Amino acid sequence: MNAISSIQTNTAGHGRKLLPILAIVAVLSAAPWFASEFVLHLAILTCLNILAVNGLALIGRSGQLSLGHAAFMAIGAYASVLAANMLGLSFIPSLLIGVAATAIVTFVLGWAILRLRGVYFVLVTFAFGELVRLVLLDFSGITGGANGITGIPAITLFGFSFDSRETFYGLALVAALLSTWGLYRLFTRPLGQAIDSVAVNPALAEATGLSVHRLQIFSFVAGCSLAAIAGVLQSRYIGYISPESFNTSISIGLIIMLVIGGRLSSWGPFVGAIVLTPLPELFRGAVQTQHIFYGAVLILILRFMPGGLADLPARLRARLKR
């Protein structure tokens, strides 16, 4: 019980600090409205990554780590695009179909594998991610195979088209902020605190009457549904999807964002995505250097700041007090 009480105290502390931080980040995030088209493009990708990493954080808070997170982005994106193309559905119904398809697949998969722990769960999610990619390649008559699906129309809501980067950025920013706020609200509530207690001590959580398996399934389904929304928005923004748009390297990149930002903080995914999304542009043409840099930063964060960049303000305040 002490562990659960400690989690509740720490989570409440995070909550008090989160709102002003989100307000500052929201104001700073509006800067791309006045920036170049390229910076605006990076800002949109950052918002989509925030959405996906928030989903990965939700899974991680239950004590599991998914190495196939991009596969759930792919399921949502393909299901939504195929529903729109084959059934002639507008954006909202096709989005709901994409999220529902992902939730159903995730629920069935989670029910089967969430009793696994540690590396076994990671390996199964990795295998599932590869399976999804191979299925998308093999069923080329429906998915377009390696060529993917092109000509995906822009989002239209209530007669308004998000066909420019400025308008789509506004939509992506709202989605990113809402998902971060939702994550914060969840983990300041009993349900979120119960999920945290499952990660800290599953046996103790079970002894107090919590259903570890059900809580992990909820986290898995909700986290993968956020990934599906990110996949749907990405497909509509770029106008093209293929199996390689959601390969394992995408999943690894999302994990790195989560770890560097702070996997136990409600705003860690926000920070991780903002810091790491633009970095590939700095290493354009030097992929090996990029991988070395990522590896070095990851090692340093895990060694000296295991709580991620989210812990940096608290560490600085502690040093100033000393």
Side-chain angles (χ1 to χ4, degrees):
M1 292 300 294
N2 288 337
I4 298 177
S5 300
S6 175
I7 289 170
Q8 293 174 338
T9 303
N10 291 337
T11 307
H14 274 306
R16 286 191 296 269
K17 301 169 187 175
L18 181 63
L19 289 180
I21 292 170
L22 277 183
I24 295 171
V25 172
V27 172
L28 293 176
S29 299
W33 285 91
F34 312 100
S36 66
E37 287 289 305
F38 176 69
V39 173
L40 195 56
H41 171 69
L42 288 180
I44 292 171
L45 295 182
T46 299
C47 290
L48 297 180
N49 283 337
I50 289 169
L51 195 57
V53 179
N54 274 332
L56 191 60
L58 183 52
I59 299 171
R61 294 284 283 264
S62 70
Q64 299 286 26
L65 179 66
S66 172
L67 197 55
H69 205 55
F72 304 106
M73 296 175 64
I75 294 172
Y78 272 90
S80 175
V81 170
L82 291 175
N85 289 348
M86 294 181 176
L87 304 177
L89 298 178
S90 59
F91 173 68
I92 293 295
S94 64
L95 170 66
L96 294 177
I97 287 177
V99 175
T102 306
I104 292 170
V105 171
T106 306
F107 179 82
V108 174
L109 179 67
W111 190 265
I113 71 172
L114 274 169
R115 297 190 189 278
L116 300 174
R117 293 289 182 268
V119 68
Y120 301 105
F121 180 84
V122 174
L123 289 176
V124 171
T125 56
F126 169 76
F128 179 77
E130 286 299 296
L131 175 64
V132 169
R133 188 178 67 85
L134 293 175
V135 167
L136 294 176
L137 285 171
D138 290 341
F139 287 84
S140 56
I142 300 175
T143 65
N147 295 324
I149 301 175
T150 58
I152 301 172
I155 295 173
T156 301
L157 289 174
F158 310 111
F160 181 80
S161 179
F162 295 84
D163 54 357
S164 67
R165 286 183 176 174
E166 290 79 10
T167 55
F168 196 94
Y169 168 70
L171 180 65
L173 178 61
V174 168
L177 289 172
L178 283 178
S179 67
T180 303
W181 178 79
L183 200 67
Y184 153 67
R185 293 288 293 176
L186 173 63
F187 287 101
T188 55
R189 293 293 182 272
L191 176 59
Q193 292 161 6
I195 292 171
D196 271 337
S197 70
V198 165
V200 173
N201 194 327
L204 177 59
E206 196 81 47
T208 59
L210 298 176
S211 174
V212 172
H213 191 53
R214 289 182 180 179
L215 287 170
Q216 288 185 328
I217 287 177
F218 167 80
S219 298
F220 196 47
V221 172
C224 292
S225 296
L226 283 178
I229 296 173
V232 172
L233 292 178
Q234 177 179 311
S235 68
R236 294 298 185 122
Y237 171 60
I238 298 177
Y240 166 76
I241 51 172
S242 74
E244 291 307 312
S245 303
F246 308 100
N247 56 33
T248 304
S249 64
I250 302 298
S251 297
I252 294 174
L254 295 174
I255 291 173
I256 293 174
M257 290 179 191
L258 176 61
V259 173
I260 289 179
R263 62 187 182 85
L264 296 178
S265 169
S266 298
W267 61 284
F270 212 123
V271 175
I274 288 175
V275 170
L276 292 185
T277 300
L279 279 183
E281 298 304 322
L282 300 179
F283 296 99
R284 184 179 291 274
V287 178
Q288 294 302 323
T289 305
Q290 175 187 335
H291 292 163
I292 293 171
F293 178 81
Y294 275 8
V297 170
L298 194 58
I299 291 171
L300 290 173
I301 289 289
L302 290 174
R303 172 62 181 85
F304 298 104
M305 204 181 297
L309 294 176
D311 272 356
L312 188 56
R315 285 173 173 265
L316 290 176
R317 283 195 298 271
R319 282 188 175 275
L320 289 174
K321 287 181 180 178
R322 292 197 197 104

